Amino acid sequence: PRSMRRASCIPEFVNSMGRPSGSLCSVQWLRENLGRTDLRLFDCTWLLPNSPFASVRKLDSGRAAFQDAHIPTAQFWDLDAVADTCASPTPHNLPTREQLTARLNSAGVEKSSVVVCYDALGIFSAPRLWYTFRAFGHEKVAVLEGGLPAWIEQGYPIASGDATPVQGGGHVGWDKVDGVQWRLEDVVANIQNNQAQLVDVRPSDRFHGTAPEPRPGMRSGHVPGSISLPFTELLTDASTHAISTLKPPELLLQEFLKAGVNPTKPVVGTCGSGMTAAFLGLALEQVEGAEDTMFGLYDGSWSEWGGRHDTPVTNPTDSESSVRV
């Protein structure tokens, strides 16, 4: 893996604490900057069936949620449609250079554009789109803290129906940063060479094999040598915060250290299907001293690894499931 951000990158945004940020922006900042001609706003709501993130406002698809309510000037980004499905068996892998170029040109995104990503759940799928932009070298991109719920809570205007058409762009130089997308063979090699800390953000009971996988045909357990840090541990407590956001930097650092993750050493994220692993990259950028930590994401994640029978699995509850390549 390698850093998706240059140390010299000047913070473009202001976060909810009123501080300059290169990767988070507050709804207040967005409200004040919504009329900028260089701003591109994307609603990338993605819903996970059979989970607490399965629906929003009783709607069961991201596109339906966008049609129902979105921030004015936002465009909808379908994470499953703009994806290279040949890279792994998961539906929302990083797109190819050609796929990304076509989508960004249709959205009027240039290298100079300032991009904000959000979702209708507060924070769930927005980090994945943030990671996509960073993976292709675009640094002026942030996640909206609290997403659409925080925007609505402030009483700011919302729109419905289709997105407002924008003038297309013409930039073609979107090249993927080396090392930000990991594949199965990279993870296999990492078991032996420990090039990076493989951090699994699935719920801990799935990591330890004490709860079944929600996807049929999956083995239980985790990649040998991987570290468990459920992505929900990086979020504010739902019992005290009605809208989900990342925890403050000092608490994020505590979560990394408690899990046994060194935030200054290379990190590769994995999860169920490559969606929530992106939280790790976003969280690392908030921690002092870890802003430029090398970060990669295993797109296939457990959907690929746990769906095969020739990959090694550690499962303390079933010793027969631990096989070697």
Side-chain angles (χ1 to χ4, degrees):
R2 56 166 287 185
S3 174
M4 295 188 294
R5 176 179 177 270
R6 294 195 309 267
S8 60
C9 183
I10 299 173
E12 180 74 39
F13 309 94
V14 175
N15 64 22
S16 59
M17 294 183 288
R19 299 173 184 169
S21 175
S23 52
L24 292 175
C25 81
S26 68
V27 292
Q28 291 81 7
W29 182 93
L30 180 60
R31 182 75 173 96
E32 293 168 3
N33 288 269
L34 202 57
R36 287 174 55 164
T37 57
D38 61 345
L39 180 73
R40 292 294 179 267
L41 179 63
F42 293 103
D43 181 323
C44 58
T45 300
W46 183 89
L47 303 174
L48 180 63
N50 304 314
S51 82
F53 308 98
S55 66
V56 57
R57 301 187 301 277
K58 298 183 178 180
L59 300 168
D60 59 4
S61 80
R63 189 175 294 276
F66 178 85
Q67 292 275 342
D68 181 65
H70 58 263
I71 298 174
T73 75
Q75 302 176 64
F76 182 69
W77 185 293
D78 188 333
L79 287 164
D80 288 348
V82 189
D84 178 10
T85 55
C86 295
S88 76
T90 44
H92 32 258
N93 305 312
L94 282 179
T96 64
R97 183 182 193 270
E98 292 73 23
Q99 287 175 320
L100 187 82
T101 297
R103 181 65 185 95
L104 294 186
N105 284 347
S106 70
V109 177
E110 303 283 356
K111 282 290 186 178
S112 59
S113 297
V114 176
V115 178
V116 175
C117 316
Y118 77 88
D119 60 62
L121 291 165
I123 183 170
F124 182 63
S125 52
R128 175 70 205 198
L129 183 54
W130 170 87
Y131 159 76
T132 299
F133 273 93
R134 283 295 182 84
F136 281 87
H138 194 81
E139 295 179 347
K140 294 181 180 181
V141 55
V143 169
L144 180 64
E145 293 186 272
L148 182 62
W151 179 270
I152 292 174
E153 184 183 56
Q154 291 297 315
Y156 296 152
I158 59 172
S160 61
D162 294 329
T164 303
V166 297
Q167 183 176 353
H171 191 83
V172 294
W174 302 101
D175 294 309
K176 192 183 302 177
V177 177
D178 291 337
V180 298
Q181 182 184 37
W182 273 40
R183 307 212 179 196
L184 185 138
E185 57 268 26
D186 300 313
V187 179
V188 170
N190 193 67
I191 295 174
Q192 301 299 326
N193 62 30
N194 293 312
Q195 178 186 356
Q197 303 165 98
L198 184 66
V199 182
D200 191 327
V201 305
R202 291 176 300 153
S204 59
D205 53 359
R206 287 168 57 191
F207 177 89
H208 292 293
T210 58
E213 286 295 310
R215 298 172 178 86
M218 297 288 124
R219 291 179 292 164
S220 296
H222 57 269
V223 178
S226 57
I227 302 168
S228 176
L229 176 52
F231 81 92
T232 51
E233 298 299 316
L234 304 174
L235 301 179
T236 50
D237 189 344
S239 66
T240 55
H241 295 75
I243 298 173
S244 294
T245 60
L246 281 180
K247 288 179 176 176
E250 60 275 11
L251 296 183
L252 290 174
L253 175 59
Q254 288 181 20
E255 294 298 341
F256 281 120
L257 297 179
K258 184 171 67 174
V261 178
N262 184 336
T264 65
K265 301 295 184 182
V267 170
V268 171
T270 181
C271 55
S273 66
M275 181 64 67
T276 55
F279 274 85
L280 289 168
L282 185 64
L284 283 168
E285 280 210 10
Q286 314 314 312
V287 175
E288 185 176 358
E291 303 94 333
D292 298 299
T293 291
M294 294 184 292
F295 176 73
L297 195 153
Y298 172 32
D299 257 346
S301 285
W302 197 253
S303 291
E304 179 175 43
W305 193 274
R308 296 171 62 113
H309 296 284
D310 59 349
T311 47
V313 168
T314 298
N315 183 348
T317 65
D318 181 6
S319 60
E320 294 183 0
S321 69
S322 296
V323 297
R324 302 304 302 175
V325 172

